[in-house]
Amino acid sequence: MDLLQQTIGKIEELDQINMKEAETRLDQLVKPPKSLGRLEDIAIQLAGITKNIYPEVNNKKVIVMAADHGVYDEGVSSNPQNVTIIQTPLFPKGLTGVCAISRVSGAGVIAVDIGVKGNLPGDTGVISRKIKHGTDNMAKGPAMTRDEAIKSIEVGIEIANKEIANGVQLLGVGEMGIGNTTASTAILSVLAGVDPVEITGMGAGIGDGGIDHKAKVIDGAIKLNQPDPHDGIDILSKVGGLEIGGMAGVILAAAAKRIPIVVDGYISTAAALIAALIEPKSKEFMITSHVSPEPGAKKASELLGISPLMEMNMRLGEGSGAALVFPILESACSIIKRIATFDEAGMKI
């Protein structure tokens, strides 16, 4: 808990002076005012995050948190749960979707076993920070204890802090785990105050009972565990996931260290909502990459209050969307630095 509190205490507001200077320069560039749209907005945000109107985001990493979910036992997914333990070692080998995209965007990928059910071999290259072998079944009781929820957040903080200390300038969050749309939908249902049936989708594959059964499981878990909608840690512990806590920790650490953090899709947005509830100022450091076709994704983005950069009909997870938009952030840095102003070009307007 000490690490979490210390991290929260370091999160400040965006730097308004540098944001104003960045906006002024952008308005003076040899182009029609605001003609680069959201690229200009991102450049201003990055100036506020980094306290530098010429920010650099060349050193990029996606942190992928891997964990399993006890609620899988309720038949909410058609995929075998051992997919998690089979696929997680593929990240260090560069053989997953986010790895393929990161190869193009020039980003590194780090995989963390924060709660995979079963033991990975010791030589996989996956960072082992396992808290437990998946969450408990939230349909029978809390997914984890409050202490375990805090620990999951602090694991994310520790991993992010290490990467930032090694020079990372831009972070993205992603996840791996069967059953995590169930936990994410439960989190969103609690925070938005909506019936799970309105926001429950297929996920990576729906179980035999269909969407109605999945929604009923989520609704039952919420009614059984009674998570406090004003307490992010309570929600995480009652109906969340270890990988969701880990991603929330990465987000909070990035905000505390003034590093831009790119949120992936639906599950990552659930983690961002938890982080924002724990410390609202952390939202200012977030950039959301894309909106998933999951029914709850649009609601999650609206609740977070940050408009995603893309709509690509992607639902892979893993941080794939974050890796895909990294070049957009680099472009935002480039325009403010490399486009001449009218004065620099010797033009009078």
Side-chain angles (χ1 to χ4, degrees):
M1 189 67 173
D2 288 347
L3 178 59
L4 175 56
Q5 291 301 328
Q6 290 167 10
T7 301
I8 292 169
K10 293 176 182 177
I11 299 176
E12 301 176 342
E13 307 282 351
L14 296 185
D15 187 284
Q16 297 299 319
I17 294 175
N18 276 285
M19 291 176 73
K20 184 61 179 177
E21 289 181 3
E23 183 177 17
T24 298
R25 178 171 175 83
L26 286 163
D27 287 344
Q28 294 171 347
L29 300 183
V30 286
K31 61 173 183 60
K34 315 299 182 186
S35 59
L36 286 173
R38 293 193 68 184
L39 277 179
E40 297 188 41
D41 296 337
I42 294 168
I44 293 168
Q45 182 184 3
L46 292 176
I49 290 172
T50 63
K51 295 187 175 184
N52 183 354
I53 68 166
Y54 303 117
E56 297 286 343
V57 292
N58 302 318
N59 192 338
K60 310 172 288 288
K61 289 280 178 72
V62 178
I63 299 176
V64 181
M65 294 286 174
D68 282 302
H69 294 260
V71 73
Y72 176 85
D73 293 343
E74 301 300 312
V76 293
S77 176
S78 62
N79 293 300
Q81 193 168 44
N82 65 357
V83 166
T84 309
I85 198 168
I86 293 170
Q87 187 162 339
T88 299
L90 298 181
F91 289 96
K93 296 178 181 179
L95 300 176
T96 69
V98 66
C99 295
I101 296 170
S102 293
R103 181 181 288 272
V104 176
S105 62
V109 177
I110 300 166
V112 182
D113 174 4
I114 194 169
V116 176
K117 187 175 182 179
N119 294 316
L120 298 175
D123 58 352
T124 61
V126 175
I127 298 171
S128 180
R129 296 302 306 274
K130 193 191 300 289
I131 294 171
K132 59 194 298 183
H133 290 263
T135 52
D136 299 327
N137 185 351
M138 68 180 182
K140 307 293 186 186
M144 61 188 111
T145 67
R146 188 176 181 89
D147 285 346
E148 289 167 343
I150 292 169
K151 182 59 178 175
S152 72
I153 297 170
E154 292 188 332
V155 166
I157 293 171
E158 290 168 2
I159 296 294
N161 282 347
K162 182 177 179 181
E163 293 304 317
I164 295 167
N166 288 333
V168 165
Q169 300 162 312
L170 174 62
L171 282 170
V173 286
E175 37 58 45
M176 175 66 219
I178 302 302
N180 51 24
T181 58
T182 301
S184 298
T185 302
I187 290 170
L188 179 59
S189 179
V190 172
L191 289 173
V194 299
D195 191 317
V197 74
E198 298 179 27
I199 54 174
T200 301
M202 295 286 293
I206 197 70
D208 291 339
I211 290 176
D212 285 346
H213 171 68
K214 183 175 177 180
K216 287 177 182 176
V217 169
I218 294 168
D219 186 54
I222 293 170
K223 289 176 177 174
L224 173 67
N225 293 299
Q226 294 291 304
D228 181 353
H230 306 291
D231 184 342
I233 296 173
D234 191 61
I235 298 169
L236 180 64
S237 68
K238 300 286 183 58
V239 296
L242 294 160
E243 80 280 37
I244 294 172
M247 289 188 291
V250 172
I251 292 167
L252 292 170
K257 298 287 187 178
R258 306 196 75 87
I259 297 292
I261 178 72
V262 181
V263 179
D264 184 28
Y266 185 41
I267 294 98
S268 300
T269 304
L273 287 167
I274 293 293
L277 187 55
I278 292 172
E279 175 43 72
K281 292 193 296 292
S282 66
K283 283 207 302 185
E284 300 182 19
F285 296 82
M286 301 179 200
I287 296 163
T288 55
S289 59
H290 73 109
V291 58
S292 162
E294 276 291 302
K298 184 177 180 181
K299 173 66 72 174
S301 294
E302 290 173 353
L303 194 60
L304 187 62
I306 305 173
S307 179
L309 294 176
M310 308 182 304
E311 186 169 348
M312 297 285 286
N313 204 34
M314 292 169 59
R315 62 194 311 155
L316 174 64
E318 299 183 4
S320 53
L324 192 58
V325 305
F326 279 171
I328 295 178
L329 274 68
E330 292 180 280
S331 297
C333 294
S334 186
I335 63 169
I336 195 169
K337 183 176 183 179
R338 302 188 186 282
I339 299 177
T341 64
F342 284 101
D343 283 346
E344 290 166 350
M347 300 169 63
K348 298 295 182 181
I349 58 170

